[in-house]
Amino acid sequence: MVSIRSVTSQDFDQWLPLWEGYNAFYGRSGATALPIAITQMTWARFFDAYEPVHALVAEGEGQLLGLAHYLFHRSTTTIEPTCYLQDLFTSELSRGKGVGKALIEAVYDRAKSAGSARVYWQTHETNLTAMRLYDSVAERSGFVVYRKVL
């Protein structure tokens, strides 16, 4: 049985390998790994009441199986806050078992409770496995993301 809950400070040692796995999936490992200061700040933000950043974890039999990080922000097209699901990752052994879907649905519940008008996220165009799940729980917006590193 999988349960979804907010992350606690005692979860760090199990959260960290999931976080590192998520980053490695997107090419941020070894020489391109995130600086430790970013990981430390990300972790600290989950426990800062003044930060709009939140974390959920999926747990089964005392082990963390996945994570979801989300944040709330303003929008010029709604009065209610918008929820951005920034990071979603499940351990390799828990994939295909409903963990990712349970995490997404938990984010939906948290967003609804916060009065959010919508939840959105993005993924890499090559992440076809995840996109099969995403297509079953949300609609594609058709928007293309542009960015410039400053």
Side-chain angles (χ1 to χ4, degrees), residues 24-35:
F25 179 83
Y26 283 108
R28 297 182 296 261
S29 64
T32 59
L34 291 177

Side-chain angles (χ1 to χ4, degrees), residues 12-13 15-17 19-20 23 28-46:
F12 182 79
D13 289 341
W15 170 87
L16 184 59
W19 173 242
E20 290 173 340
N23 283 297
R28 297 182 296 261
S29 64
T32 59
L34 291 177
I36 190 68
I38 292 176
T39 294
Q40 291 170 336
M41 180 59 76
T42 296
W43 181 254
R45 285 176 173 157
F46 301 147

Side-chain angles (χ1 to χ4, degrees), residues 120-142:
Y120 74 103
W121 62 92
Q122 58 187 330
T123 193
H124 196 272
E125 64 188 7
T126 60
N127 195 359
L128 300 176
T129 300
M131 289 168 64
R132 283 194 296 276
L133 167 62
Y134 302 160
D135 287 341
S136 75
V137 298
E139 65 181 50
R140 285 193 208 194
S141 68

Side-chain angles (χ1 to χ4, degrees), residues 2-5 7 11 14-15 18-19 55-60 63-69 87-92 94-95 99-100 103:
V2 174
S3 63
I4 307 297
R5 61 174 174 78
V7 73
D11 291 326
Q14 288 192 54
W15 170 87
L18 292 168
W19 173 242
L56 298 174
V57 290
E59 183 177 37
Q63 295 296 311
L64 296 189
L65 307 173
L67 59 79
H69 303 151
D87 310 317
L88 179 70
F89 186 78
T90 61
S91 66
E92 192 169 335
S94 64
R95 293 193 188 133
V99 175
L103 284 162

